[in-house]
Each structure stands twice: as structure tokens, then as C-alpha cells.
């Protein structure tokens, strides 16, 4: 609801909208992609694959260590290309029109 209100507030300006910081589990879950899609708002997901940038870890991980089994933060895919969560990948594919395994 908060994201939808922010988009509605900005949409009156008549400019293209691009959300650059939106996927940060658990506070900002992948389901927000549905709101972005419904409102025609662009979205950048810069932590797509677990890699050198280590975006699987929360922003505060250097202050507070996580525990094994904690939810990953940004990434959709492990370094080997397998999904952290197949349902999330299916959601991305359904809303972006992408098909296939990669």
C-alpha cells in the first residue's frame, strides 16, 4: 500500500517512474514487482545473481552477522544459476514476459 501511494503521488508529475531500490527481503519482497508492473513503473534489480557484490547479504551484515538459513537479501539466483526460490523466478518471468530457464 505504501509503495502504491508513493507511485500515485509521483505519477501526477507525468514523468516516467523508475524504482531503483525495491528488492530487499524481507521488508521489500519480490511481490512488490506486481505493484510496479500494474502501475507501469520501471524497476531495477541490481542484485540478480549471487556473486562478487555479495548482495545476498543485508546492508547491515558488516555490523550484525546473519545466521545460516537467514533469508537472502537481493539476489534471485545462486552463482550456479539455480533459483533461491523457484516461485520468485516464475513471478519475474510472468511479469516480464521472459520464458525459458535462463
Amino acid at each position: 500500500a505504501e509503495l502504491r501511494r508513493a507511485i500515485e503521488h509521483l505519477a501526477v508529475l507525468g514523468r516516467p517512474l523508475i524504482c531503483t531500490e525495491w528488492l530487499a527481503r524481507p521488508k521489500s519482497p519480490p511481490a512488490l514487482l506486481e505493484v510496479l508492473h500494474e502501475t507501469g513503473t520501471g524497476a531495477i534489480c541490481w542484485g540478480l545473481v549471487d556473486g562478487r557484490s555479495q548482495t545476498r547479504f543485508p546492508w547491515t551484515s558488516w555490523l550484525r552477522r546473519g545466521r545460516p538459513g537467514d533469508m537472502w537479501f537481493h539476489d534471485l539466483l545462486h552463482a550456479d544459476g539455480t533459483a533461491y526460490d523457484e516461485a520468485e523466478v516464475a513471478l519475474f518471468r510472468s511479469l516480464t514476459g521472459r520464458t525459458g530457464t535462463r
Side-chain angles (χ1 to χ4, degrees), residues 24-25 31 34 37 51-52 59 71 76-78 81 86 88:
R25 297 170 189 89
E34 293 172 314
H37 180 74
R52 187 167 54 173
W59 298 313
M71 180 171 278
L76 288 179
L77 306 172
H78 292 279
E86 286 292 340
E88 287 183 6

Side-chain angles (χ1 to χ4, degrees), residues 32-45:
L32 291 179
L33 186 58
E34 293 172 314
V35 174
L36 296 166
H37 180 74
E38 290 167 9
T39 60
T41 303
I44 296 172
C45 179

Side-chain angles (χ1 to χ4, degrees), residues 19-63:
C19 185
T20 60
E21 293 286 341
W22 70 276
L23 181 59
R25 297 170 189 89
K27 182 176 179 170
S28 178
L32 291 179
L33 186 58
E34 293 172 314
V35 174
L36 296 166
H37 180 74
E38 290 167 9
T39 60
T41 303
I44 296 172
C45 179
W46 54 270
L48 186 61
V49 179
D50 180 5
R52 187 167 54 173
S53 64
Q54 299 188 15
T55 53
R56 71 182 176 278
F57 299 116
W59 298 313
T60 58
S61 64
W62 62 278
L63 294 172

Side-chain angles (χ1 to χ4, degrees), residues 4-16:
R4 197 174 292 277
R5 280 192 303 274
I7 291 169
E8 289 169 359
H9 176 76
L10 294 168
V12 299
L13 300 173
R15 305 280 307 208

